[in-house]
Amino acid sequence: KIISVAALPDGRIVSGNQHSQLMLADKAAVPVGRRFLDTHGRSVYGVAVRQDGSVVTVGLNDGDSWEGGDNGKPSLKVWDVAEGRCRRSISVLGVPICLAILPDGRVLMGCSCPRAGHIIVCDVTTNAIHYLQGVLSQQNHTGGVNAVASLPNERVVSASDDKTIKVWHQETGELLLTLEGHTDYVISVALGDALIISGSN
């Protein structure tokens, strides 16, 4: 079952599935599909393409149980598309289930574990991780983050199980806006023409 997908600049498609496989689809190649040689070991929850053409994924690795009790270690991985190999693996707290690429190439992630930092910014060149939190604890999401997106002017948006959408300053963690109105989990968010577009259960 495919659960994440992204497009490369040349039109090829990268997808991740529940069986830890990362696939490259190229209609001009024979065979059309090629599996990346390395895996997360478990589900690939999110996939995105950085400006340099590298692919970034979030998911669970096989290994000892993490703090939340699931049998797997949460991580972000950076992949070389030409070689089909993982070039960097970075452990994170919580379970990152969505990601987006910021204009400077850093990776924005949303976590499903409320107590482990809902929104994470990671520099994949230095492994530096920044957990984005509101100045006041009551400003933070009270449920897992299902979707994130980058906005202009150093802002990011997150969509949560708590039925809200929040807009943050990506460096300071200042909460700029909380949008309400959904009556169930908000599971997707995207930037339109001067609009934030969202979908829920």
Side-chain angles (χ1 to χ4, degrees), residues 126-147:
T126 64
N127 291 15
I129 292 178
H130 172 54
Y131 292 89
L132 196 66
Q133 297 287 350
V135 176
L136 303 175
S137 61
Q138 60 264 36
Q139 294 178 333
N140 297 327
H141 282 298
T142 57
V145 174
N146 301 311

Side-chain angles (χ1 to χ4, degrees), residues 21-43:
Q21 297 167 341
L22 190 64
M23 301 288 294
L24 178 68
D26 182 356
K27 64 182 180 180
V30 178
V32 173
R34 173 169 64 86
R35 184 181 302 175
F36 283 67
L37 299 175
D38 303 314
T39 71
H40 270 276
R42 298 191 62 195
S43 295

